[in-house]
Amino acid sequence: MRADRVFAYGAAAGLLGDLLLGDPRRGHPVAAFGRAAGAVERVLWRDHRGWGALHTAVCVGGAVSLAAVADRSVRTSRVASVALTAAATWSVVGGTSLGREARAIGGALAAGDVEVARERLPHLCGRDPQALDADGIARAVVESVAENTSDAVVGALVWGAAAGVPGLVGFRAVNTLDAMVGHRSAKYRRYGWASARLDDVAGWPGARLTAVLAAVAGSDPRGAVRAWRVDAVKHPSPNAGPVEASFAGALGVRLGGTLSYAGRVEHRPVLNGGGRAVEFGDIERAVRLSRRVGLLALGVSVAGRLLVNGLRAKGRTS
């Protein structure tokens, strides 16, 4: 079976597994990677960019190498190749768990239980929940759904289409490592620099595809494109900016503004300033948009891989 068809069948099965089952309940490979990366950090940590770059190389390189070995070991079996791709896809995408967490918070807000919503918010993002009222929590959830649609679904599918199982695993390793050490705290400002920059590079194509698909799948395509074009560059993140701006325009809401994160206050630019303030009902709309974007991303990724492989085959025979 050709590699493009292996990816198509395996990625579709893995995404279906995520839709039906969510994340694996026990023995999650991403959690195992996190524990291994933490162990490496305890050995290597120095307040120095070079040591942080070594940490990044060891962790990401190790994960990609193991994935490549596993991929090569099953290459002679069509069934095993598809099964491995499906398992890898199911392990690295997280759209269903993202939606569940967002909806749980939305349900608490709908019931008027802001304290429960504050308790659940750290499961979804790193905002300081005590600094947020109900509307602030709703905005944080919508922003997190937008950003994690790219990080937890679309980016992984893009890299899977480009490099198969090693691409799927490598992207999730980079993204996980950035979440662990890539933030701008005093401890990780230098040590996490390499992980943060690598995450910016790895996330670039998925973020742009997410922004495009949010515009296509949303209720206001022109508003999404306008917000992306005007406001994305104002965001401090080169990848979160296009995604959040496109989601804001597609949903007709206003994102960004002041937030409290890890004990510090940030004043981020407003995205889609002409939109209305976020309400708890917009959480469900954001989750549904995220689901549509993920399914479209699967189609685009599969079609892209089939097209590229077809052109290569045509070039070899011409």
Side-chain angles (χ1 to χ4, degrees):
M1 184 183 294
R2 285 169 26 184
D4 51 4
R5 293 181 181 176
V6 168
F7 173 74
Y9 298 149
L15 194 62
L16 178 62
D18 177 65
L19 291 173
L20 295 176
L21 304 173
D23 287 336
R25 296 290 184 180
R26 296 180 179 179
H28 200 304
V30 175
F33 172 81
R35 290 191 294 271
V40 173
E41 179 190 343
R42 287 191 290 274
V43 174
L44 295 181
W45 189 90
R46 307 287 190 281
D47 191 16
H48 190 277
R49 284 186 177 183
W51 285 95
L54 178 60
H55 180 209
T56 302
V58 168
C59 294
V60 176
V64 172
S65 297
L66 288 174
V69 169
D71 187 44
R72 182 166 297 183
S73 69
V74 300
R75 198 164 288 178
T76 57
S77 170
R78 298 177 181 179
V79 174
S81 295
V82 171
L84 179 63
T85 303
T89 303
W90 178 40
S91 297
V92 303
V93 300
T96 296
S97 294
L98 171 65
R100 285 175 180 170
E101 289 295 338
R103 282 171 167 149
I105 297 172
L109 292 176
D113 200 336
V114 178
E115 285 306 314
V116 170
R118 288 190 178 119
E119 289 175 4
R120 296 198 67 95
L121 186 63
H123 294 281
L124 191 64
C125 65
R127 307 286 175 86
D128 293 333
Q130 298 305 319
L132 298 173
D133 58 10
D135 290 343
I137 293 172
R139 175 168 64 86
V141 172
V142 171
E143 290 172 355
S144 296
V145 167
E147 185 175 0
N148 283 296
T149 299
S150 177
D151 289 343
V153 183
V154 181
L157 292 173
V158 167
W159 279 100
V165 171
L168 288 164
V169 172
F171 177 79
R172 175 55 60 223
V174 170
N175 191 251
T176 302
L177 206 59
D178 175 64
M180 294 176 67
V181 304
H183 43 88
R184 295 181 179 180
S185 65
K187 181 177 180 179
Y188 294 122
R189 190 177 304 277
R190 282 181 283 270
Y191 188 80
W193 178 86
S195 292
R197 298 292 77 76
L198 182 59
D199 184 67
D200 288 342
V201 173
W204 196 95
R208 273 71 196 168
L209 179 58
T210 303
V212 169
L213 296 180
V216 171
S219 59
D220 187 359
R222 290 185 179 180
V225 172
R226 182 173 59 251
W228 178 10
R229 179 175 55 84
V230 174
D231 297 328
V233 295
K234 303 173 185 177
H235 198 285
S237 169
N239 294 330
V243 172
E244 291 184 18
S246 185
F247 261 70
L251 296 170
V253 299
R254 185 171 64 251
L255 299 179
T258 302
L259 60 86
S260 178
Y261 179 82
R264 68 179 186 276
V265 176
E266 293 185 13
H267 301 284
R268 292 186 178 178
V270 173
L271 307 176
N272 193 38
R276 58 175 175 76
V278 177
E279 302 170 352
F280 67 82
D282 295 312
I283 294 175
E284 178 63 28
R285 297 177 61 227
V287 170
R288 291 180 179 178
L289 177 58
S290 175
R291 178 69 58 87
R292 293 195 296 271
V293 167
L295 293 174
L296 287 172
L298 174 65
V300 171
S301 298
V302 168
R305 177 138 185 170
L306 290 171
L307 177 62
V308 170
N309 283 9
L311 292 174
R312 286 176 178 171
K314 185 177 180 180
R316 287 193 297 268
T317 58
S318 61

